Amino acid sequence: MANDTTSSGVLVFGLGRFGSALADELDSMDVEVLAVEKDKDLVERWSKRLPVVEADATDPRTMEQIGAKDFGAAVVGVGTSLEASVLITGNLVDVGIPEIWAKAISNEHKRILQRIGAHRVVLPESESGTRVAHSVGGKMLDYIEVEDGFAIVKMRPPKETHNFRLADLDLRNKWDLQVIGVKVPGEDFEYGGADTIITPDCILVVGGDTDVLERFSQRP
């Protein structure tokens, strides 16, 4: 699903352990983020670090009040209350948010969220807020930090790489990145070689320094 959340921002609902980690990571990546939380204590705790609105997002009127339709993506981090999670997700679907992520606490909860329109549902036991932040914050489709300072990501290719061979792009020298492989829809995975051509619809698997990967993935 293509989107550009770097220009339109990300809404994060709920500042529990998952939501706060995700919102904090997005903010550190210089992604515009607005957190929405109804717990006054949590709002007070995080307001010194993040843009936070105290509001009950289960109320459809809240979406209009916070200008939800102007955001490119939203993450529902409310997991302890299934009802609240479902209501917030449904409100976001009604507003027409282009990309909706939601946290689930069980497989049944996950199925419900998918049925009402969440585009991606995560189970925190297998996907941390930090990892999701890198995915929702740009062109990255998946992010795995192998060790401090080095990661492997699955991402969409920046426009400047379209229809060029890897040898011509010389990303190893220009960016200090290694294209491990390329997956074109309908074709088998191909390990990155000098003659590999980057097509606009392909997916790249790239390894490198986390900061460099972040900058590379934010290019148009």
Side-chain angles (χ1 to χ4, degrees):
M1 185 186 320
N3 75 308
D4 182 5
T5 60
T6 61
S7 61
S8 50
V10 179
L11 281 168
V12 177
F13 294 89
L15 284 173
R17 183 180 300 176
F18 175 83
S20 61
L22 184 137
D24 196 36
E25 186 73 11
L26 285 171
D27 186 63
S28 72
M29 293 159 54
D30 293 324
V31 174
E32 179 191 352
V33 60
L34 175 64
V36 183
E37 171 60 60
K38 70 174 184 177
D39 186 309
K40 183 176 294 186
D41 292 337
L42 286 175
V43 170
E44 185 176 350
R45 183 189 308 170
W46 285 98
S47 60
K48 297 179 180 65
R49 297 177 58 178
L50 298 167
V52 183
V53 173
E54 183 182 341
D56 181 1
T58 63
D59 185 340
R61 292 172 297 183
T62 295
M63 298 301 167
E64 181 177 354
Q65 292 166 357
I66 64 175
K69 62 182 177 59
D70 296 326
F71 286 78
V75 182
V76 182
V78 179
T80 53
S81 170
L82 189 150
E83 180 182 4
S85 170
V86 169
L87 287 173
I88 295 170
T89 303
N91 289 340
L92 290 168
V93 171
D94 290 342
V95 170
I97 300 293
E99 187 165 358
I100 302 169
W101 295 57
K103 168 190 171 183
I105 57 174
S106 67
N107 287 327
E108 181 181 15
H109 186 188
K110 179 178 180 178
R111 286 194 295 271
I112 293 171
L113 291 170
Q114 289 173 328
R115 286 171 186 165
I116 64 175
H119 303 115
R120 174 79 181 266
V121 181
V122 297
L123 292 164
E125 291 78 8
S126 58
E127 295 190 65
S128 72
T130 298
R131 182 179 177 184
V132 175
H134 284 275
S135 299
V136 76
K139 294 186 177 67
M140 292 187 189
L141 303 174
D142 207 352
Y143 173 97
I144 301 174
E145 189 163 353
V146 180
E147 59 183 17
D148 290 345
F150 183 85
I152 295 174
V153 305
K154 184 167 68 173
M155 61 174 287
R156 298 182 179 88
K159 290 181 180 178
E160 65 198 67
T161 67
H162 293 179
N163 303 315
F164 284 95
R165 298 187 313 143
L166 284 178
D168 298 325
L169 292 169
D170 198 17
L171 297 177
R172 185 67 180 270
N173 289 321
K174 291 179 180 178
W175 284 87
D176 197 24
L177 295 176
Q178 178 65 49
V179 176
I180 300 168
V182 177
K183 178 68 173 71
V184 177
E187 298 183 17
D188 294 333
F189 177 88
E190 176 186 356
Y191 286 102
D195 294 324
T196 301
I197 296 176
I198 306 301
T199 59
D201 59 346
C202 77
I203 292 173
L204 304 179
V205 178
V206 188
D209 180 88
T210 53
D211 291 337
V212 176
L213 284 168
E214 198 61 57
R215 293 198 303 272
F216 185 66
S217 72
Q218 299 297 337
R219 295 185 68 80

